């Protein structure tokens, strides 16, 4: 029935979990004598779909993209927020407090630096004044359009910014349990998928971070300095 509606395996499993929970509820209250065995569909393990540094830089260089959206995309990449989490959060000093209303079902706080606080305030002002009915969908479509403009894979989408946040923390050797808390995962098993990324691929896709935080290989000084300059240019653009 669910397959006939062209739902993804993940969506089907969410429905199956709901059905199992309802049946278990009535069984515990003796409204049912027994409950059927419901097995969820197997989900093939896949690598996180992230935005490589050169792709993100290409988006930042798009003349067709307004500076506001560039700064917002940068905010999501640097915080790991889910699409709609900023709109339900509160800023307490330099901490962004996210309630347990989002997918993770647990509250968490993200520490923001000065530039990220400025971007967050811009985002919230836009949220209050732009008059859109679905702010998240608008940002998602805008980012997808930007991805297509630079010729990125169709598999990449707005949520890839959250994956990018996690993968970048892995490259920086941040402990997996700390990343779990930063992302609001209920189980570290969910977070561990990022630790399984191929190091060779990460070296290629995040050259500046790799040269700074890991010892995968010795890199040519000229190339390393070029990467650092490009990274600093990106940081400067977001702050100004």
């Amino acid at each position: 029935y669910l397959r006939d509606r062209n739902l993804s395996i993940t969506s089907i499993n969410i429905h199956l979990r709901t059905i199992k929970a309802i049946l278990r509820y009535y069984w515990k209250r003796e409204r049912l004598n027994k409950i059927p065995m419901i097995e969820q569909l197997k989900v093939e393990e896949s690598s996180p779909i992230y935005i490589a540094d050169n792709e993100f830089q290409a988006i930042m260089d798009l003349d067709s993209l307004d500076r506001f959206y560039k700064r917002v995309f940068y905010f999501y990449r640097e915080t790991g927020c889910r699409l709609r989490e900023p709109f339900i959060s509160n800023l307490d000093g330099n901490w962004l407090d996210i309630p347990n209303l989002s997918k993770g079902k647990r509250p968490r706080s993200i520490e923001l630096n000065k530039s990220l606080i400025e971007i967050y305030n811009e985002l919230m002002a836009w949220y209050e004044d732009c008059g859109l009915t679905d702010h998240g969908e608008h940002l998602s479509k805008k980012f997808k359009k930007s991805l297509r403009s630079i010729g990125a894979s169709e598999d990449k989408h707005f949520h890839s910014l959250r994956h990018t946040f996690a993968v970048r923390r892995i490259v920086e050797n941040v402990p997996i349990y700390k990343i779990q808390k930063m992302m609001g995962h209920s189980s570290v098993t969910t977070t561990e998928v990022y630790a399984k990324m191929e190091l060779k691929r990460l070296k290629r896709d995040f050259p500046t971070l790799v040269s700074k935080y890991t010892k995968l290989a010795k890199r040519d000084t000229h190339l390393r300095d070029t990467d650092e300059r490009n990274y600093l240019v990106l940081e400067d653009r977001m702050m100004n």
Side-chain angles (χ1 to χ4, degrees), residues 183-239:
M183 300 194 72
H185 290 155
S186 58
S187 169
V188 73
T189 303
T190 305
T191 317
E192 286 175 343
V193 67
Y194 298 105
K196 299 177 182 179
M197 301 296 297
E198 181 186 3
L199 293 183
K200 178 180 178 181
R201 179 182 175 188
L202 294 180
K203 176 185 175 183
R204 181 193 64 204
D205 291 341
F206 300 98
T208 302
L209 290 180
V210 169
S211 66
K212 186 175 181 181
Y213 292 99
T214 72
K215 298 179 180 179
L216 296 181
K218 292 182 178 180
R219 305 182 66 233
D220 180 79
T221 302
H222 173 71
L223 292 177
R224 183 171 63 253
D225 289 344
T226 300
D227 290 333
E228 292 290 347
R229 285 198 300 272
N230 288 338
Y231 182 73
L232 291 175
V233 167
L234 175 60
E235 291 287 326
D236 184 65
R237 286 179 180 176
M238 293 305 97
M239 293 181 66

Side-chain angles (χ1 to χ4, degrees), residues 9-45:
I9 291 179
T10 300
S11 296
I12 290 174
N13 283 340
I14 290 174
H15 286 297
L16 291 178
R17 283 201 301 269
T18 303
I19 294 170
K20 289 172 68 175
I22 292 172
L23 293 175
R24 194 179 305 113
Y25 173 87
Y26 285 111
W27 174 73
K28 286 183 176 180
R29 284 152 183 79
E30 299 182 350
R31 300 291 296 276
L32 294 173
N33 294 326
K34 60 181 180 179
I35 57 176
M37 182 178 66
I38 298 177
E39 294 183 354
Q40 293 185 307
L41 301 181
K42 182 179 180 181
V43 179
E44 296 296 331
E45 185 174 305

Side-chain angles (χ1 to χ4, degrees), residues 62-73:
L62 286 174
D63 293 331
S64 59
L65 185 63
D66 186 86
R67 175 178 174 275
F68 165 75
Y69 293 108
K70 293 178 182 180
R71 286 166 62 82
V72 168
F73 298 158

Side-chain angles (χ1 to χ4, degrees), residues 158-171:
F158 194 94
H159 196 71
S160 299
L161 290 171
R162 179 168 161 83
H163 290 316
T164 305
F165 168 84
V167 173
R168 287 170 65 87
R169 302 296 82 78
I170 289 292
V171 175

